[in-house]
Amino acid sequence: KAGVTQTPRYLIKTRGQQVTLSCSPISGHRSVSWYQQTPGQGLQFLFEYFSETQRNKGNFPGRFSGRQFSNSRSEMNVSTLELGDSALYLCASSLVERADTQYFGPGTRLTVL
Amino acid sequence: AQTVTQSQPEMSVQEAETVTLSCTYDTSENNYYLFWYKQPPSRQMILVIRQEAYKQQNATENRFSVNFQKAAKSFSLKISDSQLGDTAMYFCAFMGYNNDMRFGAGTRLTVKP
């Protein structure tokens, strides 16, 4: 079974632009979570989707948003990019909505210039 | 809010020896899950081991085992017969009722030949 895939793997944007990252979960998995990883703040939870509904959201500004499609694929969007948004964005999927192991994708490395 | 603390930023071990990575957490929940993830230089997060808080028996996965002390809120990872491929960042993670995972800051483990 294929693992979690994320596209693109690398992105370079400039301040003020917006960006959309994509995540395809493991086949059959219905929950998708997003995390931001930076050297300074470590791994931080962004949000979680299950059955196209956002069930939980971390402490990030409204510039960070996401959605999930009926096939469980998920996208996250960051608008008005700031230098501090440079990070590795990780997506993880799990089979069910609660208390289930999350399996991670390879991440998208976003650089904001 | 749940917090996860990994007090050892870096550790090293000789190949074939045993090493223990420490993790403590803080929570008021009774039912939760704990994980150890490994992140090699490729940045892919790989699940190492999972522990359910309601289980008294410590989880094991081949050379990896945990020492779970619920009362002390401690969750250490023991790696036996260390191999060069074990070189990576190791993250301890807590998942509670809300299903969002909280990660520790990580321990960078180097296995020396």
Side-chain angles (χ1 to χ4, degrees):
Chain A
K1 195 181 270 191
V4 178
T5 58
Q6 292 186 245
T7 57
R9 293 294 309 279
Y10 302 92
L11 264 179
I12 299 176
K13 293 286 188 179
T14 56
R15 278 182 299 174
Q17 288 187 310
Q18 75 165 17
V19 67
T20 299
L21 312 182
S22 180
C23 171
S24 293
I26 292 171
S27 178
H29 284 198
R30 298 171 62 194
S31 175
V32 173
S33 298
W34 288 89
Y35 298 86
Q36 181 196 63
Q37 185 176 25
T38 60
Q41 299 298 318
L43 278 152
Q44 293 184 287
F45 171 75
L46 278 158
F47 28 65
E48 181 206 1
Y49 287 86
F50 181 80
S51 292
E52 303 178 64
T53 302
Q54 185 182 92
R55 295 191 328 111
N56 205 358
K57 190 176 193 303
N59 188 27
F60 278 81
R63 301 185 296 107
F64 291 82
S65 63
R67 59 177 174 169
Q68 186 181 32
F69 302 95
S70 58
N71 62 357
S72 295
R73 189 178 71 85
S74 177
E75 290 181 346
M76 68 163 281
N77 184 276
V78 188
S79 62
T80 319
L81 284 166
E82 301 177 359
L83 296 179
D85 297 332
S86 293
L88 179 68
Y89 290 88
L90 293 164
C91 163
S93 75
S94 57
L95 187 60
V96 297
E97 61 181 305
R98 288 200 184 279
D100 195 22
T101 300
Q102 296 185 7
Y103 296 91
F104 285 80
T108 294
R109 168 74 66 186
L110 171 65
T111 302
V112 181
L113 303 176
Chain B
Q2 295 88 356
T3 57
V4 180
T5 302
Q6 292 180 249
S7 59
Q8 305 150 316
E10 293 190 29
M11 293 191 73
S12 64
V13 63
Q14 290 295 133
E15 195 175 6
E17 293 188 346
T18 296
V19 64
T20 298
L21 310 183
S22 301
C23 172
T24 59
Y25 57 94
D26 185 31
T27 184
S28 58
E29 297 183 35
N30 191 47
N31 294 319
Y32 50 88
Y33 300 80
L34 296 163
F35 304 85
W36 280 97
Y37 282 91
K38 163 185 173 180
Q39 189 178 43
S42 68
R43 308 296 274 173
Q44 174 83 50
M45 293 282 281
I46 301 166
L47 175 70
V48 175
I49 201 163
R50 160 188 164 127
Q51 174 79 45
E52 293 87 348
Y54 63 84
K55 289 186 178 179
Q56 292 187 344
Q57 186 173 6
N58 289 326
T60 62
E61 285 289 342
N62 301 313
R63 298 182 295 107
F64 300 88
S65 62
V66 299
N67 183 4
F68 173 49
Q69 302 289 328
K70 190 173 184 179
K73 296 179 182 175
S74 170
F75 183 60
S76 61
L77 174 70
K78 185 172 83 171
I79 305 174
S80 303
D81 187 25
S82 297
Q83 301 175 0
L84 296 178
D86 295 334
T87 292
M89 280 289 286
Y90 285 81
F91 292 95
C92 176
F94 171 100
M95 178 189 288
Y97 178 78
N98 281 337
N99 218 43
D100 58 331
M101 271 206 296
R102 307 284 173 158
F103 289 86
T107 296
R108 184 177 303 279
L109 176 67
T110 301
V111 179
K112 299 179 178 178

